[in-house]
Amino acid sequence: MKPSAFEYHRPETVDEAVTLLSDLSEAELMAGNQSLSIVMANRLANPDHIIDINAVDELSHIDATGDAVDVGALTRHCDIEHSDVLTEEYAVLSESAGQIAGPTVRNRGTIGGSIGEADPAGNYPCVLVAMGGELELASTDGRRTVDADDYFIAYMMTDIEEDELITAARFPTDPFPAARTGMTFLGQKRAAQTWPTLSVAGAVRVDDPDAAEPAIEEARIGLANAADVPLRIEAVEAAVEGEPLVDATVENAGEIAYEQVSPAAEMHADETYKRELAREYTKRALRTAYDRAIA
């Protein structure tokens, strides 16, 4: 099957893009085109207009601003994966990018497209929620920011209007100075091109990496495909903060994760299995992030 007929538009600025979104009915944005073309080819979406934003250069960037890392919505997965800035200062984001599908998808797919799709199994939504990030949205009325916790409302439903465009995702760096922080992104996938059965984004900041038993000052744990939205588990974080990471603490954190998730069963993973994955991968993420923080 082939897509139905549509009119093609290629704006070169954000203002042009949002004006088209506002003026045209039945319009869809196209960025990396890793999802839209599939649903259009199967006639599951039949937009009258396609707004191709690949010529909007201002949407492609990775900037460290001092208190945050700002990633433009059109930035490709491969650029995030191989960014020196992110590898050094925000490894949870670069590692999450490196685990998306295969090289072909990573060369074309974008962070804005992934977050806009809002699949609870997605890597970037998981990191964004876990790390307390925010999104910048643009429309003809101007720009606004929305916290990740407020953006993801329900299964693949978000706080974005039809005439709004994601321009950037921001990830705070203030709570996680590189010298005292460890980060990781772990997950289980049946095959490279599938969604992960479950993933975990983790970060740990310690008080003194050189101490005999560094205490955790702050921790972050977020899970993908463990609920109908990306899930941050603050109870796990509270359970490990204020003391060194010992086996008993890790085991307790895993049990909390098991109880806190509410995963949907899939063909190859029932609810109990996903809960067990949440327990195990939460423990692995905490251990890995802690080891990196004190290395």
Side-chain angles (χ1 to χ4, degrees):
M1 191 176 291
K2 300 296 183 181
S4 58
F6 59 85
E7 188 172 349
Y8 177 80
H9 309 267
R10 191 174 173 87
E12 295 184 353
T13 67
V14 169
D15 287 345
E16 291 175 12
V18 296
T19 297
L20 287 168
L21 272 177
S22 177
D23 292 346
L24 301 175
S25 61
E26 300 299 324
E28 291 282 354
L29 292 166
M30 184 175 75
N33 199 28
Q34 299 304 292
S35 301
L36 180 61
S37 60
I38 297 173
V39 296
M40 287 180 63
N42 287 282
R43 300 291 179 98
L44 298 175
N46 300 288
D48 294 332
H49 301 272
I50 293 295
I51 303 171
D52 181 353
I53 60 172
N54 280 282
V56 185
D57 292 338
E58 65 187 282
L59 295 180
S60 182
H61 61 266
I62 299 173
D63 297 324
T65 63
D67 59 355
V69 173
D70 189 283
V71 183
L74 200 61
T75 308
R76 312 291 173 183
H77 305 322
C78 61
D79 294 326
I80 295 172
E81 177 186 5
H82 297 294
S83 165
D84 291 338
V85 170
L86 296 179
T87 299
E88 292 294 324
E89 297 187 20
Y90 232 80
V92 65
L93 188 54
S94 57
E95 288 184 11
S96 72
Q99 295 179 40
I100 294 174
T104 301
V105 171
R106 292 199 294 273
N107 285 340
R108 291 300 304 165
T110 66
I111 187 171
S114 175
I115 293 172
E117 189 173 25
D119 195 300
N123 293 13
Y124 297 136
C126 175
V127 175
L128 193 68
V129 168
M131 304 305 293
E134 64 181 19
L135 296 171
E136 181 184 81
L137 309 177
S139 71
T140 53
D141 293 329
R143 304 198 184 199
R144 69 182 178 104
T145 58
V146 56
D147 291 340
D149 285 341
D150 298 324
Y151 178 77
F152 300 100
I153 298 172
Y155 181 75
M156 299 185 77
M157 294 179 59
T158 64
D159 178 28
I160 188 170
E161 302 297 332
E162 290 185 357
D163 63 345
E164 286 186 312
L165 165 70
I166 298 173
T167 57
R170 296 196 182 97
F171 302 84
T173 55
D174 266 1
F176 296 102
R180 296 189 289 123
T181 296
M183 295 180 173
T184 191
F185 189 88
L186 304 172
Q188 184 188 89
K189 296 178 72 173
R190 292 182 293 106
Q193 299 295 339
T194 62
W195 289 104
T197 306
L198 185 132
S199 299
V200 178
V204 164
R205 185 188 78 233
V206 298
D207 58 351
D208 182 2
D210 298 323
E213 294 184 317
I216 296 176
E217 288 185 331
E218 188 161 356
R220 296 290 173 85
I221 288 290
L223 288 92
N225 216 9
D228 61 353
V229 294
L231 184 65
R232 178 180 170 187
I233 307 183
E234 295 185 42
V236 167
E237 300 165 4
V240 301
E241 291 172 349
E243 58 183 86
L245 193 70
V246 297
D247 288 347
T249 305
V250 172
E251 293 298 324
N252 181 46
E255 293 306 316
I256 293 171
Y258 182 97
E259 296 296 334
Q260 291 281 314
V261 298
S262 54
E266 302 175 20
M267 181 182 298
H268 300 285
D270 62 17
E271 179 183 348
T272 299
Y273 180 64
K274 282 191 172 183
R275 286 182 180 274
E276 291 171 351
L277 286 179
R279 176 169 55 201
E280 178 60 28
Y281 276 87
T282 293
K283 294 191 295 184
R284 292 186 191 184
L286 287 169
R287 287 193 176 106
T288 300
Y290 185 75
D291 288 345
R292 290 178 176 179
I294 66 177

